[in-house]
Amino acid sequence: MVMSKIEILYTKAESNSEFVLLYKQPSVLVGRTDVVSVTPWLAPIVWVKTFDPTLINFIYKQQNITIATTVFALGKYTRFLKDFLESAEQYYFVGFRVHYYLFTDQPEAVPDVKLSEEHQLTVRKVPSMDRWQDISMGRMGILEKLTKSELDNDTDYIFCLDVDTKFYGPWGAETLGRLVGVIHPWFYDYKRTKFQYERRPESQAFIPVEEGDYYYTAAAFGGTVQEVYKLTKTCREQQSIDAAKSIEAIWHEESHLNKYLLYNKPSKLLSPEYLWRHIDIRRKHVKMIRLSHVAKNNAEVRLNN
Ligand code: UDP
Ligand code: MN
């Protein structure tokens, strides 16, 4: 069989009937040098061309895993569902078992999107809430309950995603890990003193100015069901302690998530390719946009401002 240098092929070995994956030899010396692809605690930071998607999907495919994926659409945010789900069907864990859990106050507004054979969708009705901050923060408690009830089931991994987003490129098994954080697309090149962490010591989300690794987005995070249960439980508890003291962290659940991930280091980080600012905005290090926020008029879609 003739193979070009970069071609990746399945081939049937002569000696037995097993399929073997042939792929380009990994290099010890040549790789991306324009971005950092590992944290100081040796967790990978995932960027295009730091991994071989065919190889990594092939490896995980043999494990027969299920990936739960949660999304919330309350109030006017149901308008984002169609694009979110249709684009996910095109790019998100194609060929893997995915179970979407969609939480909404209007099940009748969920669009009828054709799902691939391995993907399924469960709609769960949740009460409406008056403040967008409460909807956003309230996700932690709902996710805590979901992950707790899923602990004994056969779900392996879970991702929790914002609905005002759309997929533009592949999101596959390279994102899987024990505890996975996504680097926020606006602050990846900021000094940590400038991160918008919660700076008031009265809040449970407080991070002193001389601490911090990265600024993580709350619009996408994941990991094993067990780890996401611990994360969401902790954030929900910390939010409740704040609420009892009439304090609300500057960026709501995102502030609590950042506190959690500072002291519970993620085992894998996803680069801003995995949640970009907007499809029309380009930066030289971000060579591929896999998931991006879509434009939204906050004053129009949110219930309060
Ligand atoms: N959300 C919702 N309805 C609302 C406000 C928020 O369903 O009225 C959910 C939705 O999933 C959204 C997420 O909470 O993606 C986070 O809110 P938002 O996207 O407004 O926060 P931002 O990304 O702008 O910080
Ligand atoms: Mn959002």
mmCIF file of all heavy atoms in Angstrom, residues 3 30-31 38 42 49 57 71 75 78 114 129 131 136 155 175 211 220 234 278-279 289 297 300:
data_model
loop_
_atom_site.group_PDB
_atom_site.id
_atom_site.type_symbol
_atom_site.label_atom_id
_atom_site.label_comp_id
_atom_site.label_asym_id
_atom_site.label_seq_id
_atom_site.Cartn_x
_atom_site.Cartn_y
_atom_site.Cartn_z
ATOM 1 N N MET A 3 1.519 5.099 0.806
ATOM 2 C CA MET A 3 0.954 6.135 1.673
ATOM 3 C C MET A 3 1.738 7.421 1.577
ATOM 4 O O MET A 3 2.960 7.408 1.592
ATOM 5 C CB MET A 3 1.032 5.688 3.135
ATOM 6 C CG MET A 3 -0.094 4.783 3.548
ATOM 7 S SD MET A 3 -0.452 4.974 5.276
ATOM 8 C CE MET A 3 1.147 5.106 5.989
ATOM 9 N N VAL A 30 9.738 18.355 16.843
ATOM 10 C CA VAL A 30 8.993 19.344 16.056
ATOM 11 C C VAL A 30 7.534 19.361 16.500
ATOM 12 O O VAL A 30 6.883 18.328 16.556
ATOM 13 C CB VAL A 30 9.078 19.005 14.542
ATOM 14 C CG1 VAL A 30 8.289 20.028 13.717
ATOM 15 C CG2 VAL A 30 10.530 18.943 14.099
ATOM 16 N N GLY A 31 7.060 20.566 16.832
ATOM 17 C CA GLY A 31 5.662 20.713 17.236
ATOM 18 C C GLY A 31 5.328 22.181 17.260
ATOM 19 O O GLY A 31 6.133 23.014 16.834
ATOM 20 N N VAL A 38 1.153 22.955 27.493
ATOM 21 C CA VAL A 38 1.129 22.203 28.756
ATOM 22 C C VAL A 38 1.217 23.206 29.910
ATOM 23 O O VAL A 38 1.889 24.229 29.810
ATOM 24 C CB VAL A 38 2.263 21.152 28.778
ATOM 25 C CG1 VAL A 38 3.634 21.804 28.784
ATOM 26 C CG2 VAL A 38 2.133 20.188 29.937
ATOM 27 N N LEU A 42 1.667 20.148 34.338
ATOM 28 C CA LEU A 42 1.694 19.104 33.306
ATOM 29 C C LEU A 42 0.325 18.587 32.871
ATOM 30 O O LEU A 42 0.152 17.403 32.607
ATOM 31 C CB LEU A 42 2.610 17.935 33.719
ATOM 32 C CG LEU A 42 4.098 18.303 33.843
ATOM 33 C CD1 LEU A 42 4.909 17.099 34.280
ATOM 34 C CD2 LEU A 42 4.638 18.856 32.530
ATOM 35 N N LYS A 49 -3.269 20.944 16.052
ATOM 36 C CA LYS A 49 -1.910 20.535 15.681
ATOM 37 C C LYS A 49 -1.031 20.166 16.879
ATOM 38 O O LYS A 49 0.177 20.015 16.744
ATOM 39 C CB LYS A 49 -1.209 21.585 14.824
ATOM 40 C CG LYS A 49 -1.899 21.757 13.462
ATOM 41 C CD LYS A 49 -0.898 22.140 12.397
ATOM 42 C CE LYS A 49 -1.472 21.927 11.017
ATOM 43 N NZ LYS A 49 -1.893 23.110 10.332
ATOM 44 N N ASN A 57 -9.470 9.935 18.572
ATOM 45 C CA ASN A 57 -10.844 9.436 18.480
ATOM 46 C C ASN A 57 -10.864 7.916 18.373
ATOM 47 O O ASN A 57 -11.721 7.248 18.956
ATOM 48 C CB ASN A 57 -11.578 10.078 17.299
ATOM 49 C CG ASN A 57 -11.988 11.518 17.611
ATOM 50 O OD1 ASN A 57 -12.353 11.845 18.735
ATOM 51 N ND2 ASN A 57 -11.916 12.390 16.623
ATOM 52 N N VAL A 71 -27.276 21.726 28.568
ATOM 53 C CA VAL A 71 -27.472 23.074 28.039
ATOM 54 C C VAL A 71 -28.770 23.615 28.635
ATOM 55 O O VAL A 71 -29.719 22.864 28.857
ATOM 56 C CB VAL A 71 -27.450 23.058 26.488
ATOM 57 C CG1 VAL A 71 -28.601 22.270 25.911
ATOM 58 C CG2 VAL A 71 -27.410 24.454 25.924
ATOM 59 N N GLY A 75 -36.372 31.452 29.233
ATOM 60 C CA GLY A 75 -36.779 32.771 28.720
ATOM 61 C C GLY A 75 -36.519 32.853 27.234
ATOM 62 O O GLY A 75 -36.778 31.902 26.486
ATOM 63 N N THR A 78 -34.293 30.334 24.360
ATOM 64 C CA THR A 78 -34.675 29.174 23.538
ATOM 65 C C THR A 78 -34.375 29.435 22.061
ATOM 66 O O THR A 78 -34.219 28.510 21.290
ATOM 67 C CB THR A 78 -36.181 28.844 23.690
ATOM 68 O OG1 THR A 78 -36.921 30.032 23.434
ATOM 69 C CG2 THR A 78 -36.498 28.320 25.083
ATOM 70 N N LYS A 114 -33.050 16.928 14.007
ATOM 71 C CA LYS A 114 -32.776 15.511 13.739
ATOM 72 C C LYS A 114 -31.414 15.142 14.321
ATOM 73 O O LYS A 114 -30.403 15.763 13.994
ATOM 74 C CB LYS A 114 -32.805 15.264 12.233
ATOM 75 C CG LYS A 114 -32.748 13.784 11.916
ATOM 76 C CD LYS A 114 -32.958 13.510 10.440
ATOM 77 C CE LYS A 114 -32.529 12.116 10.020
ATOM 78 N NZ LYS A 114 -32.249 11.147 11.067
ATOM 79 N N MET A 129 -37.032 31.859 36.153
ATOM 80 C CA MET A 129 -36.473 32.720 37.196
ATOM 81 C C MET A 129 -36.445 34.149 36.687
ATOM 82 O O MET A 129 -36.383 34.374 35.488
ATOM 83 C CB MET A 129 -35.069 32.255 37.567
ATOM 84 C CG MET A 129 -35.082 31.234 38.682
ATOM 85 S SD MET A 129 -33.441 30.712 39.125
ATOM 86 C CE MET A 129 -33.308 29.263 38.139
ATOM 87 N N ARG A 131 -34.236 36.740 37.409
ATOM 88 C CA ARG A 131 -32.968 37.422 37.115
ATOM 89 C C ARG A 131 -32.061 36.496 36.314
ATOM 90 O O ARG A 131 -31.909 35.323 36.650
ATOM 91 C CB ARG A 131 -32.244 37.805 38.411
ATOM 92 C CG ARG A 131 -32.969 38.826 39.270
ATOM 93 C CD ARG A 131 -32.274 38.958 40.631
ATOM 94 N NE ARG A 131 -30.959 39.577 40.541
ATOM 95 C CZ ARG A 131 -29.821 38.984 40.867
ATOM 96 N NH1 ARG A 131 -29.807 37.733 41.288
ATOM 97 N NH2 ARG A 131 -28.669 39.636 40.775
ATOM 98 N N SER A 136 -28.215 31.797 35.519
ATOM 99 C CA SER A 136 -26.840 31.409 35.242
ATOM 100 C C SER A 136 -26.229 30.667 36.448
ATOM 101 O O SER A 136 -25.680 29.571 36.311
ATOM 102 C CB SER A 136 -26.059 32.680 34.901
ATOM 103 O OG SER A 136 -24.920 32.366 34.186
ATOM 104 N N THR A 155 -22.882 6.772 32.340
ATOM 105 C CA THR A 155 -22.308 7.965 31.724
ATOM 106 C C THR A 155 -20.877 8.124 32.212
ATOM 107 O O THR A 155 -20.612 7.983 33.404
ATOM 108 C CB THR A 155 -23.127 9.209 32.106
ATOM 109 O OG1 THR A 155 -24.462 8.982 31.702
ATOM 110 C CG2 THR A 155 -22.599 10.458 31.439
ATOM 111 N N THR A 175 -10.907 16.308 23.993
ATOM 112 C CA THR A 175 -11.341 17.191 25.079
ATOM 113 C C THR A 175 -11.620 16.425 26.372
ATOM 114 O O THR A 175 -11.916 17.043 27.392
ATOM 115 C CB THR A 175 -12.645 17.912 24.682
ATOM 116 O OG1 THR A 175 -13.668 16.922 24.441
ATOM 117 C CG2 THR A 175 -12.451 18.749 23.432
ATOM 118 N N GLU A 211 -2.475 35.509 43.282
ATOM 119 C CA GLU A 211 -2.741 34.112 42.915
ATOM 120 C C GLU A 211 -3.502 34.017 41.594
ATOM 121 O O GLU A 211 -4.011 35.006 41.094
ATOM 122 C CB GLU A 211 -3.549 33.422 44.021
ATOM 123 C CG GLU A 211 -2.756 33.219 45.296
ATOM 124 C CD GLU A 211 -3.532 32.411 46.314
ATOM 125 O OE1 GLU A 211 -4.060 31.349 45.955
ATOM 126 O OE2 GLU A 211 -3.614 32.863 47.471
ATOM 127 N N ALA A 220 -18.250 26.824 29.355
ATOM 128 C CA ALA A 220 -17.915 25.451 28.970
ATOM 129 C C ALA A 220 -16.959 24.873 30.012
ATOM 130 O O ALA A 220 -15.934 25.489 30.320
ATOM 131 C CB ALA A 220 -17.262 25.416 27.593
ATOM 132 N N THR A 234 -19.661 22.067 45.088
ATOM 133 C CA THR A 234 -18.880 23.087 45.792
ATOM 134 C C THR A 234 -19.324 24.484 45.370
ATOM 135 O O THR A 234 -19.545 25.353 46.221
ATOM 136 C CB THR A 234 -17.368 22.906 45.507
ATOM 137 O OG1 THR A 234 -17.015 21.569 45.844
ATOM 138 C CG2 THR A 234 -16.532 23.893 46.290
ATOM 139 N N HIS A 278 -16.301 35.298 18.848
ATOM 140 C CA HIS A 278 -17.280 35.442 17.770
ATOM 141 C C HIS A 278 -16.608 34.954 16.494
ATOM 142 O O HIS A 278 -15.418 35.193 16.298
ATOM 143 C CB HIS A 278 -17.714 36.909 17.615
ATOM 144 C CG HIS A 278 -18.818 37.078 16.624
ATOM 145 N ND1 HIS A 278 -18.593 37.192 15.274
ATOM 146 C CD2 HIS A 278 -20.162 37.108 16.800
ATOM 147 C CE1 HIS A 278 -19.763 37.286 14.656
ATOM 148 N NE2 HIS A 278 -20.718 37.245 15.550
ATOM 149 N N ILE A 279 -17.346 34.318 15.639
ATOM 150 C CA ILE A 279 -16.769 33.713 14.438
ATOM 151 C C ILE A 279 -16.047 34.739 13.540
ATOM 152 O O ILE A 279 -15.085 34.402 12.854
ATOM 153 C CB ILE A 279 -17.851 32.917 13.644
ATOM 154 C CG1 ILE A 279 -17.235 32.104 12.511
ATOM 155 C CG2 ILE A 279 -18.971 33.819 13.138
ATOM 156 C CD1 ILE A 279 -16.318 31.000 12.940
ATOM 157 N N ILE A 289 -11.607 27.700 14.915
ATOM 158 C CA ILE A 289 -12.684 28.012 15.857
ATOM 159 C C ILE A 289 -13.619 26.812 15.858
ATOM 160 O O ILE A 289 -14.166 26.445 14.836
ATOM 161 C CB ILE A 289 -13.419 29.307 15.460
ATOM 162 C CG1 ILE A 289 -12.437 30.488 15.527
ATOM 163 C CG2 ILE A 289 -14.616 29.557 16.370
ATOM 164 C CD1 ILE A 289 -12.984 31.783 14.965
ATOM 165 N N ASN A 297 -27.872 40.395 21.896
ATOM 166 C CA ASN A 297 -28.132 41.704 22.477
ATOM 167 C C ASN A 297 -28.639 41.464 23.895
ATOM 168 O O ASN A 297 -29.800 41.107 24.103
ATOM 169 C CB ASN A 297 -29.195 42.412 21.606
ATOM 170 C CG ASN A 297 -29.591 43.758 22.182
ATOM 171 O OD1 ASN A 297 -29.249 44.090 23.325
ATOM 172 N ND2 ASN A 297 -30.315 44.529 21.400
ATOM 173 N N GLU A 300 -31.792 42.859 25.143
ATOM 174 C CA GLU A 300 -33.019 42.319 24.545
ATOM 175 C C GLU A 300 -33.337 40.899 25.029
ATOM 176 O O GLU A 300 -34.489 40.565 25.283
ATOM 177 C CB GLU A 300 -32.879 42.356 23.018
ATOM 178 C CG GLU A 300 -34.223 42.361 22.277
ATOM 179 C CD GLU A 300 -34.552 40.997 21.716
ATOM 180 O OE1 GLU A 300 -33.635 40.301 21.252
ATOM 181 O OE2 GLU A 300 -35.725 40.611 21.774
#
